[in-house]
Amino acid sequence: MSLAEGDNTQAIADLQRQRFNLALIFYGGLAAIPLGVICPCGLAFVVYKFAPDWSQSVAPASFFLPLVGLAAALLVIGSRSRAKRSLALARLADSLGLGFTSIAPHDQCEFLMSFPLLKQLQVSHSGHGVNLLEGTYKGRPLKAVDYTSLQ
């Protein structure tokens, strides 16, 4: 997803859309916690009047739905913070006239293995970069990347 230097509008739009989708999942999960108790219990109460045998099968959902909502909210917390950082870096790159790539190609991160500490931490399948900013800043070439040696 390499973009022309300083033109990051598509990357910013993609990151905004990703952040919005993660917020929907997060807040939907939070809303599922109380609604997951209220709705099945209310449904079990209503169904009990007409078919007493069915309310017993509906009631356990009031235990499982809040757990699903909690799991969804907890699972996207890390992704939301990563998306927020990526969006901030894309906007910074755009304001500085730099190119932004959300997932750095592996060959762009090879130079990091020249650092002894990173070379010691590396295992055969590890090492990837995200949020690559590259271009010329104040007349000097610049390349910055968020790099992790473990996956």
Side-chain angles (χ1 to χ4, degrees):
M1 190 166 112
S2 182
L3 298 170
E5 189 172 313
D7 183 24
N8 303 306
T9 54
Q10 184 62 41
I12 291 172
D14 290 343
L15 289 169
Q16 286 174 333
R17 189 172 32 259
Q18 178 187 11
R19 191 160 179 234
F20 178 76
N21 290 338
L22 289 170
L24 281 178
I25 294 169
F26 179 74
Y27 291 117
L30 289 182
I33 295 171
L35 291 176
V37 173
I38 294 169
C39 292
C41 287
L43 183 62
F45 179 73
V46 170
V47 169
Y48 182 73
K49 292 179 182 178
F50 303 107
D53 297 338
W54 290 8
S55 67
Q56 294 173 354
S57 61
V58 173
S62 65
F63 176 73
F64 293 112
L65 287 178
L67 292 178
V68 170
L70 180 65
L74 290 176
L75 287 173
V76 299
I77 287 176
S79 297
R80 286 184 71 209
S81 63
R82 283 189 297 276
K84 182 179 179 182
R85 176 171 170 74
S86 295
L87 183 59
L89 287 172
R91 287 178 175 157
L92 175 68
D94 199 45
S95 68
L96 296 176
L98 300 171
F100 176 82
T101 306
S102 60
I103 299 174
H106 189 67
D107 61 336
Q108 294 281 352
C109 300
E110 288 294 323
F111 73 95
L112 294 170
M113 289 302 106
S114 64
F115 296 104
L117 179 64
L118 291 178
K119 194 163 187 84
Q120 289 175 353
L121 294 173
Q122 184 185 23
V123 292
S124 62
H125 61 281
S126 70
H128 71 283
V130 294
N131 302 331
L132 174 66
L133 283 72
E134 60 183 335
T136 305
Y137 180 69
K138 294 187 178 181
R140 296 189 182 258
L142 173 76
K143 186 182 290 188
V145 66
D146 288 340
Y147 182 79
T148 181
S149 59
L150 300 175
Q151 292 184 356

